[in-house]
Amino acid sequence: MTEPAEPAELPEPPAAPPRPRSGAPWPALAVAIAVAVIAVAVAAAALLWRPESAADVEAVRTSALEAARERTTALTSYDHRTLEQDMARVLETATGEFEDDYRSTTAQLSGTFTQTQAVAKATVVAAGLEELETPDDGPVRAVVVVAVDQVITTKGAAPRTERNRLRMELVRPEGTWLVSSVERL
């Protein structure tokens, strides 16, 4: 009997020849492309984004509140002797539907103001910003709630004080705040 032969050991396969390098390996190339894409995106965002510091936003808030106080005082103060000038002062900063409504209302009331010799002196008691929008592609918009007291005198009557609360919408298309709507609360 013959003994089975031991399996012969197979020779090791020859080593693969080294691959020639023709540039960066794929993972490094992918990282480089990703970094370049991110850099372009960041540069584009920097050009398109309108940066506003906290100080800039605070300045807009402050100017909106100041404008609302001034516009409210002009709107709620009048004197029958200077009625045309008082109305013109309001119309200088009125726009849109509010401008139309104001013209219509004052046309109806001016005769009454003259006949009763009405004088109203307004004092803004408080004002607070309800909304502030600073879009990149349109005018800045603010909504301000204003508390105003009016002391009204008319011929033959004792002075009376009216406490009014108004919601005023302002827009700033080109540096000047304009009143676009007023709502009595």
Side-chain angles (χ1 to χ4, degrees):
M1 251 194 100
T2 3
E3 279 195 34
E6 269 189 46
E9 282 190 37
L10 296 172
E12 296 230 358
R19 266 176 52 188
R21 295 191 111 177
S22 64
W26 284 108
L29 183 59
V31 169
I33 291 173
V35 168
V37 168
I38 291 171
V40 169
V42 168
L47 291 173
L48 298 174
W49 182 62
R50 188 175 76 176
E52 291 182 348
S53 69
D56 292 340
V57 172
E58 187 58 32
V60 172
R61 291 172 50 88
T62 301
S63 72
L65 286 168
E66 181 180 316
R69 285 183 176 100
E70 290 172 2
R71 307 309 185 256
T72 299
T73 301
L75 178 64
T76 56
S77 296
Y78 52 86
D79 186 321
H80 67 95
R81 296 167 292 215
T82 59
L83 205 50
E84 285 186 31
Q85 295 90 342
D86 297 340
M87 290 181 208
R89 188 172 50 245
V90 172
L91 289 170
E92 286 174 358
T93 57
T95 189
E97 192 175 316
F98 172 70
E99 181 178 5
D100 296 338
D101 291 346
Y102 183 78
R103 285 183 191 279
S104 172
T105 301
T106 54
Q108 294 171 5
L109 293 175
S110 60
T112 304
F113 290 161
T114 303
Q115 182 181 357
T116 60
Q117 299 178 358
V119 175
K121 294 196 186 283
T123 304
V124 172
V125 178
L129 195 61
E130 186 175 279
E131 287 180 51
L132 180 63
E133 295 175 8
T134 57
D136 291 337
D137 60 348
V140 176
R141 179 182 164 274
V143 177
V144 180
V145 177
V146 184
V148 60
D149 289 350
Q150 274 181 306
V151 177
I152 301 171
T153 56
T154 55
K155 178 176 72 173
R160 70 181 191 283
T161 300
E162 288 190 10
R163 296 181 180 346
N164 295 298
R165 305 307 173 248
L166 306 174
R167 177 176 286 119
M168 180 177 283
E169 182 175 334
L170 301 147
V171 292
R172 191 177 75 179
E174 294 180 14
T176 299
W177 287 104
L178 303 174
V179 179
S180 60
S181 73
V182 176
E183 173 189 4
R184 192 171 185 172
L185 302 176

